[in-house]
Amino acid sequence: MRRSPQLLLLALVAVLFALSGCQEAAVRYNTRYLALLQQPMPRTLPVPVDGVSPSQLRDTWGHARYGGRRHQGIDILAPRHTPIRSATEGVLEFKGMRGLGGQVVTIIGPGGYRHYYAHLEDFGPQALGDWVAEGEVIGTVGNSGNAAVSAPHLHYGIYTPERRAINPYPYLRRSGAVQAAAK
């Protein structure tokens, strides 16, 4: 039987809480995480880069990339060190260096959708497994990874629970400015 990565993360968090003597916290956290996975993916998302409005976005989904690849996200241009905010609430699944993306943060959000933030300059203070609120700063704009020779930008991608990439542009284009998401 194949187990989903979400359930494995949930089990790991429960074990860590239990080992630290925080059984009550483990139950609360697990209930919150399960509720998150049962929520639908939002129909609109705030632009995750401070100061960038939906009208400034360009749909770069599917554009050709080196080596015959296709772009599986959109690039949001902004000055280096501009704050990047989580587009949804969720759990920080990954924070670190990851291949072409350079410095990357991945957050599991509503419905188990993964929100992928790449080419970061710096990371926010969160640790793996931390709960992240919508609008919380998770890093800053940079050009790490294969973006080292391009202008600073955020590569933002969304992946289904089955890890299939979907175009984030329609979700962001219908949204309000990032300041509306900041809490």
Side-chain angles (χ1 to χ4, degrees):
M1 174 188 344
R2 185 168 180 240
R3 297 177 192 252
S4 75
Q6 291 93 355
L7 290 178
L8 292 175
L9 177 63
L10 183 61
L12 176 63
V13 169
V15 168
L16 291 175
F17 276 129
L19 290 174
S20 67
C22 300
Q23 287 84 5
E24 185 179 327
V27 170
R28 272 197 324 268
Y29 189 87
N30 291 341
T31 302
R32 189 177 186 190
Y33 184 68
L34 287 174
L36 177 79
L37 295 179
Q38 294 171 0
Q39 293 175 20
M41 166 73 175
R43 299 177 112 192
T44 62
L45 296 168
V47 177
V49 178
D50 275 5
V52 177
S53 70
S55 65
Q56 294 173 288
L57 299 175
R58 299 294 167 256
D59 189 358
T60 57
W61 171 264
H63 289 186
R65 292 295 189 255
Y66 178 78
R69 296 177 300 112
R70 293 284 175 187
H71 198 226
Q72 293 188 337
I74 67 167
D75 292 335
I76 303 172
L77 297 173
R80 186 179 309 281
H81 300 294
T82 301
I84 297 168
R85 297 179 184 273
S86 180
T88 66
E89 67 175 328
V91 175
L92 192 132
E93 176 188 43
F94 180 83
K95 174 182 178 178
M97 291 297 290
R98 182 172 277 166
L100 299 176
Q103 296 196 136
V104 169
V105 167
T106 303
I107 295 175
I108 299 174
Y113 284 76
R114 283 174 172 73
H115 298 263
Y116 176 80
Y117 305 83
H119 306 311
L120 279 59
E121 180 72 17
D122 296 304
F123 295 113
Q126 302 85 0
L128 294 180
D130 280 356
W131 192 268
V132 178
E134 178 184 332
E136 190 173 332
V137 174
I138 56 171
T140 62
V141 171
N143 63 341
S144 59
N146 72 339
V149 295
S150 62
H153 66 278
L154 169 67
H155 170 94
Y156 177 63
I158 301 174
Y159 294 84
T160 67
E162 299 78 29
R163 299 187 185 257
R164 182 179 55 84
I166 60 173
N167 187 352
Y169 181 78
Y171 295 90
L172 300 173
R173 189 69 176 103
R174 295 187 295 251
S175 73
V178 73
Q179 288 79 9
K183 295 178 179 168

